[in-house]
Amino acid sequence: MMPTSIDRRALVSRHDPVLRDGSDAVLSVGNGSFAVGVDRTGTQTFSGPGSEETRLNILAEWGWHTSPDAPPTSWESLLRTYPTHRGPASYLDLDGPGGTEDPGPAAAWYRENPHKVSLLRCTLVDRRTGRTPEDAEIEDTEQQLDLWRGTIRSRFRFRGRACEVLTTADPHHDALALRLDAPGLDLVLTFPYGTGAWDRASDWDRPEAHRTAVEGSRVRRDLDDLSYDVAVHGASLSQPAAHTVAVGHPAEALDGHTPLDVVLQLHPRTAPEIALSGRADPGSLAEGLTGPQVRARAAAFWAAHWEGTGALDLGEAEDPRAAELERRAVLSRYLQRVHAAGTMPPAETGLLANSWRGKFHLEMHWWHAAHFALWGDAPSLRRSVDFYAAALPVARATATRQHCRGARWPKQIGPDLRESPSDIGPFLIWQQPHPIHLAELLRRADPSSSTEPMLQEIVEETALCLVDLLREDPDGLGIGPPVIGAQERHVDERARLHDPAFELSYAAWALRIADRWRHLRGDRTAGELTAIARRIHAPLTAQGRLSTFRGERAMDRSDHPSHLLAYGMVPPTGTVPAQAAHLALDDVLADWDWDSTWGWDYPALAMTATRLGRPETAVEALLLPTVKNRVDAAGHFPQREGLPAYLPANGGTLIALALMTAGWDEGPAAPGLPTQWGARSEGILPLPG
């Protein structure tokens, strides 16, 4: 553990979420590869058939399901030829006329498969009637997440009797411990089928399509290509219906008044292999797991996590904004470790709920994971960076189809490593430099990382493709066509678009970093990438403005103000004058369509303000009171209907706060925090300068 003068327990515990009747937030427990969301009973009682709730799931990295129906046509049939400066190149596209709303039958199948499935549902039932309690029968609820110990304590009354449920996830196994002191209520497990719905993880209407069988203390599950077991420790099992398992007290506690202390451990029998790579023992069954063991292991894990990583203490500040930023930081760190610290890049809703059917977007990976290295938890970043090594053969094949060397990274992908068809994703380019950026953050956290062959290969292959994606013109090097900028506008013009401003800046910076890696390993070609980077166009209009595209294109003032990332997320490289960044930031703050933004846009604004030496603007930007920047009591950023959480906003908040607190190489101290706040920090690393 690192030396510390900050009282970490006091800092963390003052932000323990406490939910009472009427709260719409959902608390969760997990270990980065496995997570459980619960309702106010500490279980998932108010979910399931007929419920509109999408956040009450048990999800694991390996829990993917594919429809047994064959796709209408092959994935390769969706490749379309686009003209490029390298010659005609194949890009994945749609086979329907209506974009994501009507992608065509083949594109729809590949977008929907595989999909992440909720592995089971644990509910309370009325012992007298065998039915789920009515909402009004659960009264006087109070639920607290003990962040220091990783346990949710849920208290309520059922028919006037006091009840208490403790909910804890094991830090090393895919296991959930439930301690139920709930007179009059029993525990039941129910099992759904998978669904290709965009935001759902359960289909309750196809009982004939899957199998649930109790064998002793184990539940055996089979869903087409996914098979897994649920080992139940500390209880007896019976099966009253096809996909319903009743969990009873062990024989020595038949009086019904002794609390039930049960552990549900999940273990895949068949699952996508890529989901298991990099994790030493993803779901091995442990003998005799008990509730007290799981709670003790979780408490030790979370205490070590908080003590051994970075901390930002704003407790001395009288400004209420400081307390809110500190709350967002603590809760974001918890949620990211629960939902986004596994071996694969997470979905944007993590392991709380499905979005995009549980698939992950690699252009969001930097927002999900960069903060781990900055806040002293580099191993959590490293686990997901290893994913690029597994995906390297597929990325090389994509690069070859597009006449590039190296590896071309996709936007949306699943554990089968098959890119999802889209009229947007395959044309985005800003995910391409991310592996270089993430590897560099790992190197800064641990300099020995630069000697690891796997990371060296990822950096080099990424850079080679990035070089070949650059377009030579009489004045230098540009990007595209075809291309779509990070703003994701002008989709119908993808075959003609070129030179998105942020991407120009990001490519130039990333190539310089890749060249530094060549120098570190003594490569004889060191210097070439920097020379190429110097030829990339400055991302400015002819009038010297920083806009979304270089040149004369009018700026669409909606969605992401992504051009600001060219001077914020990307360190100043000399190609964007500070005055141009000042004017661009003020322009966005004065007049932008905030309802169309996304949660990571506010950290982006704060990073630009911080790089410009405007701490007050950075704080205001990070806390802008817009619909996409709200944070609920659990720490989630709801974005819209069907998207009740958004982890890139949590990760982005942590990245921005790291920059605001620790600054950058040879930069000022705490450049984004008001000096009168008296901020104290430990273990937070500066960003590249």
Side-chain angles (χ1 to χ4, degrees), residues 377-673:
D377 187 13
S380 288
L381 169 58
R382 179 52 191 273
R383 280 190 293 276
S384 60
V385 167
D386 284 351
F387 169 82
Y388 291 96
L392 197 54
V394 175
R396 283 181 175 135
T398 301
T400 298
R401 281 200 311 273
Q402 297 176 5
H403 310 303
C404 295
R405 296 169 295 165
R408 176 77 194 265
W409 303 108
K411 169 194 161 73
Q412 183 174 296
I413 194 170
D416 57 352
L417 302 180
R418 187 169 53 203
E419 186 173 11
S420 291
S422 173
D423 55 353
I424 296 175
F427 305 91
L428 292 176
I429 199 171
W430 71 296
Q431 71 273 20
Q432 185 65 23
H434 282 350
I436 296 174
H437 201 158
L438 294 172
E440 176 66 4
L441 293 178
L442 284 174
R443 185 195 68 79
R444 293 164 63 87
D446 177 7
S448 68
S449 297
S450 66
T451 66
E452 297 184 26
M454 185 270 285
L455 288 178
Q456 290 176 347
E457 184 177 27
I458 289 172
V459 169
E460 182 67 15
E461 296 284 281
T462 300
L464 289 175
C465 183
L466 191 56
V467 167
D468 288 352
L469 288 169
L470 296 174
R471 180 197 75 253
E472 181 100 35
D473 63 35
D475 301 319
L477 297 174
I479 293 175
V483 70
I484 292 176
Q487 191 183 28
E488 296 194 12
R489 289 295 188 255
H490 315 291
V491 174
D492 292 339
E493 301 175 67
R494 58 188 179 275
R496 301 186 300 275
L497 288 178
H498 57 87
D499 294 344
F502 157 55
E503 285 81 349
L504 289 172
S505 182
Y506 197 16
W509 179 80
L511 290 179
R512 289 182 171 94
I513 297 300
D515 215 5
R516 181 181 300 165
W517 279 63
R518 285 185 176 182
H519 277 288
L520 289 171
R521 67 174 184 268
D523 194 298
R524 61 181 178 80
T525 63
E528 289 182 2
L529 297 177
T530 298
I532 293 169
R534 291 187 181 126
R535 299 185 58 223
I536 295 176
H537 293 304
L540 302 173
T541 67
Q543 292 77 32
R545 293 184 294 110
L546 178 59
S547 186
T548 49
F549 286 90
R550 171 182 174 267
E552 303 306 314
R553 172 175 289 278
M555 181 164 59
D556 187 314
R557 306 184 67 79
S558 64
D559 205 88
H560 307 299
S562 58
H563 55 299
L564 295 180
L565 295 173
Y567 198 108
M569 173 187 173
V570 178
T573 60
T575 59
V576 180
Q579 183 60 20
H582 276 291
L583 293 174
L585 177 60
D586 289 336
D587 175 64
V588 169
L589 291 172
D591 178 25
W592 200 263
D593 178 14
W594 298 112
D595 287 349
S596 68
T597 57
W598 294 75
W600 58 263
D601 293 322
Y602 303 92
L605 297 173
M607 284 189 279
T608 299
T610 299
R611 296 275 192 187
L612 292 169
R614 298 169 57 175
E616 187 63 29
T617 304
V619 171
E620 290 177 357
L622 204 50
L623 294 173
L624 272 177
T626 70
V627 67
K628 298 294 183 67
N629 201 33
R630 296 173 295 117
V631 181
D632 68 18
H636 286 295
F637 287 76
Q639 298 293 288
R640 67 185 190 201
E641 184 178 357
L643 197 56
Y646 194 63
L647 289 187
N650 297 96
T653 296
L654 292 171
I655 298 166
L657 284 172
L659 184 68
M660 295 162 71
T661 301
W664 53 87
D665 299 334
E666 300 178 3
L673 297 175

Side-chain angles (χ1 to χ4, degrees), residues 54-371:
T54 62
R55 297 169 291 178
L56 303 181
N57 300 291
I58 296 182
L59 297 174
E61 282 198 301
W62 47 263
W64 296 85
H65 171 252
T66 299
S67 168
D69 300 327
T73 61
S74 69
W75 180 89
E76 288 76 13
S77 71
L78 297 171
L79 294 171
R80 303 285 180 264
T81 299
Y82 282 79
T84 77
H85 67 278
R86 306 174 305 278
S90 297
Y91 287 76
L92 195 64
D93 213 323
L94 304 177
D95 60 333
T100 58
E101 298 302 318
D102 183 17
W109 193 95
Y110 289 107
R111 288 165 68 87
E112 293 171 8
N113 290 288
H115 42 261
K116 198 169 285 178
V117 61
S118 187
L119 299 167
L120 65 95
R121 168 179 172 246
C122 51
T123 67
L124 300 176
V125 297
D126 187 331
R127 183 171 301 158
R128 293 192 317 190
T129 66
R131 63 170 178 80
T132 301
E134 297 293 332
D135 186 79
E137 292 181 288
I138 303 296
E139 302 178 297
D140 301 331
T141 62
E142 180 178 287
Q143 189 175 48
Q144 180 172 359
L145 168 58
D146 184 338
L147 294 167
W148 193 260
R149 301 180 65 82
T151 287
I152 300 169
R153 183 185 301 271
S154 306
R155 293 189 174 102
F156 55 92
R157 302 188 75 81
F158 174 66
R159 293 189 174 153
R161 302 180 71 177
C163 300
E164 180 181 86
V165 177
L166 300 181
T167 310
T168 312
D170 190 277
H172 307 298
H173 297 281
D174 296 346
L176 172 69
L178 290 169
R179 184 183 187 278
L180 289 82
D181 188 357
L185 294 168
D186 286 329
L187 181 66
V188 167
L189 311 180
T190 54
F191 296 87
Y193 191 60
T195 172
W198 186 89
D199 61 344
R200 300 241 160 214
S202 303
D203 182 346
W204 299 98
D205 296 327
R206 299 189 61 191
E208 76 290 347
H210 55 120
R211 175 179 175 270
T212 303
V214 171
E215 297 181 6
S217 62
R218 187 173 301 186
V219 182
R220 308 276 287 185
R221 290 279 294 143
D222 294 287
L223 291 79
D224 305 312
D225 60 337
L226 172 63
S227 298
Y228 60 97
D229 291 344
V230 182
V232 181
H233 306 275
S236 61
L237 302 180
S238 60
Q239 189 170 3
H243 300 296
T244 301
V245 175
V247 180
H249 283 278
E252 63 269 20
L254 292 178
D255 59 3
H257 297 292
T258 303
L260 176 67
D261 206 346
V262 62
V263 176
L264 312 175
Q265 186 183 7
L266 288 77
H267 171 65
R269 299 199 311 276
T270 62
E273 291 184 6
I274 187 64
L276 311 182
S277 65
R279 196 171 170 206
D281 201 4
S284 62
L285 291 171
E287 295 297 327
L289 269 184
T290 69
Q293 286 175 342
V294 171
R295 287 186 289 275
R297 286 149 62 108
F301 170 84
W302 283 103
H305 174 74
W306 296 116
E307 291 281 12
T309 56
L312 173 61
D313 186 349
L314 302 176
E316 297 300 315
E318 297 180 0
D319 189 330
R321 297 177 302 171
E324 175 59 13
L325 283 182
E326 187 185 89
R327 181 183 81 93
R328 293 188 182 196
V330 169
L331 294 181
S332 291
R333 293 207 61 219
Y334 175 81
L335 292 173
Q336 291 291 89
R337 187 60 187 81
V338 165
H339 293 286
T343 61
M344 291 192 293
E348 295 183 29
T349 41
L351 294 168
L352 182 78
N354 266 5
S355 54
W356 291 275
R357 304 164 184 91
K359 293 186 179 181
F360 30 94
H361 293 172
L362 289 189
E363 99 276 21
M364 288 292 99
H365 190 206
W366 187 85
W367 297 92
H368 284 298
H371 65 89

